[in-house]
Amino acid sequence: MSDLPKCVEFHEEGPREGFQIEPRIYPLTQRAALVEALAETGLKAVQVASFVSPKAVPQMADTEALFAAIKRRPGVRYEAVWLNEQGFHRASATPGVDLSGKISLYTSDAFAKRNNNCTAAEMRDRVLRWLDLYSEAGLTIDRALVMTAFGCNYEGEIAPERPVAELVWAHRACAERGIRLPKVYLADTMGWANPQSVRRLVGMVRDALPDTRVGLHLHDTRGLGPANVLAALEMGVDLFDSSVAGLGGCPFAGHGDSRGAGNICTEDMVFLCHEMGIETGIDLEKLIEAARLAERIIGRPLSGRIMHAGSLSTYRMRRAA
Amino acid sequence: MSDLPKCVEFHEEGPREGFQIEPRIYPLTQRAALVEALAETGLKAVQVASFVSPKAVPQMADTEALFAAIKRRPGVRYEAVWLNEQGFHRASATPGVDLSGKISLYTSDAFAKRNNNCTAAEMRDRVLRWLDLYSEAGLTIDRALVMTAFGCNYEGEIAPERPVAELVWAHRACAERGIRLPKVYLADTMGWANPQSVRRLVGMVRDALPDTRVGLHLHDTRGLGPANVLAALEMGVDLFDSSVAGLGGCPFAGHGDSRGAGNICTEDMVFLCHEMGIETGIDLEKLIEAARLAERIIGRPLSGRIMHAGSLSTYRMRRAA
C-alpha cells in the first residue's frame, strides 16, 4: 500500500466513447451540456468527440459545431480523436481543440489489420510520419498508447514483451527526433487484463522507461476494472483513462461482443481514490451529477454504480449533524 | 501477492437475493431451474429462498414447495434463511434444507432497530437463544456474521473495533457452550467498504480470532466490489458470499437507495480468481450460462459483466487451434 500515489489524474473519455457507440444521434446541445458539466467537476481533460469520417461514424459528423457550441472553462483541455491527416487538419482548423499529439501502436497484427488495415510494423511507419507532422506543426506529443497490451480477441494472449517493445520503440523514435514523450499508456482494449498482469506489465514498462509516466486505459469488459485499478494504484500509477457513468459500451450488446462494457467508470474510480485518501482534484458530487445527466441523455440505465447509490458524504454529514 | 489463497469458496446467494427483491413473483419452475443450474457449476452451497412471513415477502411464500421441486445434486448444500423460530421450524420440517446455524450481529443500534426492532445488545441476547435452540436440535453452527461492519447509512462510519467485538463475543459465547464456530463473516451491508478498510478489518479479526476462518459478504453498491475482493484475496481471504449475475439489487432503483446494487457478482469474481491462478472448483462456462438463465428469467439486463462479454476461453482456444 506504500506505493499509492498521492494524487491521481483521470482523463475523461465519456462524451466521445458514449455518443459514438450509440446507434442514434443525440442533439448537439445535449452533448455540449455533458461536456460542460464534466468540465465543471475539476477534470483536467475531457475528450469531446472525433474528427472521423461522417460516413463511418455519423454520430460524430458535427464535431466542429460541437466544439463551437461548448462554453469553455479555463484550465480544461478539450480533446478530440483523429485517425488520419484529414481528421488532423479538421481538428487543427477547429478553435479550442487540444492538438497535442497522441500516437497509437499495436501488439497484434490481426487487430491492427482490422482496426487500421496495416500490420503492427506498418503502424510504426505511420507513427513516424505523425511525429514529423506534429513536429512541423510545432505541436508537443502527449502520449504513446499501445493497444491490446494484455490480450487480443484475435491473437489470444499477448506476451508482455510485445507492448513493452512498442513503447520503448516509441520512446526512442521520439528521442531521436528531440521530441519529449511524457506519458506512455497500456491499453486493455478488449478486457483481458487482471491484477497480476497489470502489475507485471506496469513493472516491466517502468524498468524499461524509468523516467516516463505510465498510464492505463482500462475497460471493465469482464468485471475486473476496479480490481485492475487497485492493482495499478498499488504500483503507484496515477493516470487513467475513464468514462463518466461507464459510458462507452452497451451492457445490452449481444453475448461475446467485446464492446459489451465501456471504460472504467470515472466517478466510481474517483470514489475509490478518495476513500483510500488519494486526491483527484475532482468534486465527486458534481461528477455524480454529470453521470446522472449522461444517463438522462442516453435514456437508459448506465453501468456506473455510485451514480445510482449516491456517495457516502450525505450519510456522513447526516451523522455529524 | 504472496498471501493469495490457493482455493476460494463462493457461497451463492443469487436465488434468494434476486427473487426476493423483485416486485413480481416468478414461477416456481423458473426459480427451481436457476437453483439446479447453479448446483451444476461446482458451487458447494446455494441459498435457495427464505422461510419468512408470506405477508412481508410474498415472493418467498412457497419455499417448501420450491425445495420439494428442486432436483438435488449430491455434495451441494441447499441453504435457506429464517429470522425467527417460526421460520426455523418451517425450515426444519422441509426436507433437504441445510439446517446448520447462521447467527447475525449488529454494529449499529439504528440499523438493528430498523431491521430487527432491537438494539445490537438485544441481538446478542437473541443469539444466545438461537445457540440454545440449535444445540437442543443437535445442529452445528456454520457462521457468525456481523452486519454493517464497515459503515452504516444510519450511523455513519463504524469504528472497526465494534464488528471485531461482536465476532469475538460470538466466538466466546459459542466456546462457553462447547459449540464450534468455524467461520466469521464481515458484511458490508450498505456498501461502505474500501480496500483499505477491508484489509484493516480482516487483519483485526485475524488477530483477535486466529483460528477462525474469515469470510466476506460484500455488496457492489458503489463500484468497489471487485477492488474489495482483490484486497481480501491478498489478505488470504478464501470465502465470499456472492450472487450470480450480480442479482440482489435493482440497478434501476432510485438514487440514494442502498439496495441499488446487489452482492458482488459470482461469475465475475470466479473469473478474477481463475485469471490469478486461484482455484474455485467452479466451471466458469456453466456459471456464465446460469447467469444468462437468471437474466432471461428476470427479464431485464443484469449487472454481471462477463455474462455479456463472454469469458476468454473461446478466444484462447481459437488461437490455440
Side-chain angles (χ1 to χ4, degrees):
Chain A
M1 301 293 285
S2 57
D3 290 331
L4 286 177
K6 282 200 170 59
C7 188
V8 162
E9 188 180 336
F10 288 93
H11 177 262
E12 175 60 43
E13 307 214 330
R16 183 189 61 83
E17 290 264 1
F19 294 119
Q20 155 186 294
I21 206 168
E22 295 294 323
R24 63 176 265 229
I25 298 174
Y26 289 84
L28 183 143
T29 51
Q30 293 184 337
R31 287 175 279 145
L34 179 60
V35 171
E36 288 168 5
L38 288 166
E40 290 294 321
T41 64
L43 280 162
K44 288 180 188 167
V46 180
Q47 202 176 69
V48 173
S50 309
F51 292 97
V52 289
S53 158
K55 278 190 194 153
V57 190
Q59 300 94 325
M60 301 270 132
D62 60 356
T63 299
E64 284 88 347
L66 178 57
F67 267 92
I70 293 165
K71 288 185 204 81
R72 298 169 58 78
R73 189 184 165 85
V76 176
R77 295 196 310 279
Y78 295 83
E79 303 189 341
V81 165
W82 50 87
L83 302 175
N84 55 30
E85 284 196 40
Q86 196 186 348
F88 172 62
H89 292 309
R90 281 176 61 197
S92 307
T94 303
V97 179
D98 180 277
L99 289 174
S100 58
K102 294 171 176 60
I103 58 179
S104 290
L105 292 153
Y106 287 97
T107 60
S108 148
D109 285 337
F111 179 52
K113 212 82 187 169
R114 278 168 177 83
N115 207 44
N116 269 85
N117 196 29
C118 65
T119 65
E122 285 164 356
M123 193 67 188
R124 290 186 178 189
D125 294 336
R126 295 192 190 181
V127 162
L128 293 181
R129 292 201 295 276
W130 278 113
L131 292 180
D132 291 342
L133 199 67
Y134 291 134
S135 286
E136 286 160 20
L139 298 171
T140 58
I141 300 290
D142 178 62
R143 61 157 81 169
L145 176 146
V146 59
M147 286 187 271
T148 60
F150 296 89
C152 171
N153 292 353
Y154 305 109
E155 296 215 1
E157 305 286 350
I158 298 290
E161 290 75 13
R162 290 170 68 184
V164 175
E166 294 302 314
L167 296 178
V168 168
W169 174 88
H171 188 267
R172 192 181 315 126
C174 287
E176 285 170 0
R177 285 156 184 79
I179 298 169
R180 203 174 91 84
L181 177 63
K183 306 170 192 160
V184 292
Y185 268 74
L186 295 161
D188 183 27
T189 315
M190 299 185 189
W192 283 63
N194 68 64
Q196 288 181 331
S197 60
V198 166
R199 286 201 184 90
R200 183 175 59 231
L201 201 43
V202 168
M204 287 172 69
V205 174
R206 287 259 178 73
D207 288 345
L209 301 171
D211 300 322
T212 309
R213 199 170 168 200
V214 181
L216 284 171
H217 176 103
L218 298 171
H219 283 258
D220 195 16
T221 314
R222 295 180 172 85
L224 307 196
N228 291 340
V229 170
L230 176 62
L233 290 173
E234 291 175 354
M235 293 287 289
V237 173
D238 62 355
L239 196 57
F240 295 90
D241 288 348
S242 61
S243 280
V244 67
L247 276 171
C250 175
F252 318 129
H255 301 316
D257 182 340
S258 66
R259 299 188 315 171
N263 291 44
I264 51 167
C265 172
T266 312
E267 68 274 14
D268 289 359
M269 295 304 95
V270 165
F271 174 68
L272 171 64
C273 287
H274 290 187
E275 290 296 304
M276 295 177 73
I278 300 168
E279 291 171 24
T280 64
I282 292 169
D283 182 324
L284 179 60
E285 302 305 323
K286 283 186 180 174
L287 186 58
I288 288 173
E289 286 308 320
R292 290 171 180 170
L293 173 62
E295 190 170 78
R296 287 196 300 275
I297 293 172
I298 296 286
R300 63 150 199 279
L302 298 176
S303 64
R305 296 287 197 166
I306 199 168
M307 65 185 284
H308 299 117
S311 80
L312 295 176
S313 66
T314 48
Y315 299 111
R316 286 178 175 139
M317 278 190 295
R318 199 181 296 165
R319 179 64 183 163
Chain B
M1 300 295 284
S2 58
D3 289 331
L4 287 178
K6 281 200 171 56
C7 187
V8 162
E9 188 180 335
F10 288 92
H11 178 262
E12 174 60 41
E13 307 213 330
R16 182 188 63 81
E17 291 263 0
F19 293 119
Q20 154 187 295
I21 207 168
E22 294 295 323
R24 66 177 263 229
I25 298 175
Y26 289 84
L28 184 142
T29 49
Q30 293 184 338
R31 287 175 279 142
L34 179 59
V35 171
E36 289 167 5
L38 288 165
E40 290 293 321
T41 65
L43 281 161
K44 289 180 185 167
V46 180
Q47 202 176 69
V48 173
S50 308
F51 291 98
V52 290
S53 158
K55 277 187 194 155
V57 189
Q59 300 94 324
M60 301 269 130
D62 60 355
T63 299
E64 284 87 349
L66 179 56
F67 268 93
I70 294 166
K71 288 186 204 78
R72 298 169 58 76
R73 189 185 164 86
V76 176
R77 294 195 312 278
Y78 295 84
E79 303 190 343
V81 166
W82 51 87
L83 301 175
N84 56 28
E85 285 197 39
Q86 197 186 347
F88 172 61
H89 291 310
R90 280 176 62 196
S92 307
T94 303
V97 179
D98 180 276
L99 289 174
S100 57
K102 293 171 177 60
I103 59 179
S104 289
L105 292 153
Y106 286 97
T107 60
S108 147
D109 285 337
F111 179 52
K113 213 81 187 170
R114 278 167 177 83
N115 207 43
N116 269 84
N117 197 29
C118 66
T119 64
E122 285 164 356
M123 193 66 189
R124 290 186 177 188
D125 294 336
R126 295 191 190 182
V127 162
L128 295 180
R129 291 202 295 278
W130 279 113
L131 292 180
D132 291 342
L133 199 68
Y134 291 134
S135 288
E136 285 160 20
L139 298 170
T140 57
I141 301 290
D142 178 62
R143 61 156 84 167
L145 176 146
V146 59
M147 285 188 273
T148 61
F150 297 89
C152 171
N153 292 354
Y154 305 109
E155 297 215 2
E157 304 286 350
I158 299 289
E161 291 75 14
R162 291 171 68 184
V164 175
E166 294 301 314
L167 296 178
V168 167
W169 174 89
H171 188 267
R172 193 181 316 123
C174 287
E176 286 169 0
R177 284 155 184 80
I179 297 169
R180 202 173 91 83
L181 177 63
K183 305 169 192 161
V184 292
Y185 269 74
L186 297 161
D188 184 28
T189 315
M190 298 183 189
W192 282 64
N194 68 62
Q196 287 181 332
S197 60
V198 165
R199 286 202 184 90
R200 185 175 59 231
L201 201 43
V202 167
M204 287 173 67
V205 174
R206 287 261 176 73
D207 288 345
L209 300 171
D211 301 322
T212 309
R213 199 170 167 199
V214 181
L216 284 171
H217 175 104
L218 298 171
H219 283 257
D220 196 15
T221 314
R222 293 179 173 86
L224 308 196
N228 291 339
V229 170
L230 176 62
L233 290 173
E234 291 175 354
M235 294 286 288
V237 173
D238 62 355
L239 194 60
F240 295 90
D241 288 348
S242 61
S243 281
V244 67
L247 276 170
C250 175
F252 318 128
H255 300 318
D257 182 339
S258 66
R259 298 189 313 171
N263 292 44
I264 50 168
C265 172
T266 312
E267 67 275 13
D268 289 359
M269 295 302 96
V270 165
F271 174 67
L272 171 63
C273 287
H274 290 187
E275 290 296 304
M276 295 176 73
I278 301 168
E279 292 172 23
T280 65
I282 292 169
D283 181 326
L284 178 61
E285 302 306 322
K286 283 187 181 175
L287 187 58
I288 289 172
E289 286 308 319
R292 291 171 181 172
L293 173 63
E295 190 170 77
R296 286 197 301 274
I297 293 172
I298 295 287
R300 66 150 196 279
L302 299 175
S303 64
R305 294 286 195 168
I306 199 169
M307 65 186 283
H308 299 117
S311 79
L312 295 177
S313 66
T314 47
Y315 299 111
R316 286 177 175 140
M317 278 190 295
R318 198 181 296 165
R319 180 62 183 165

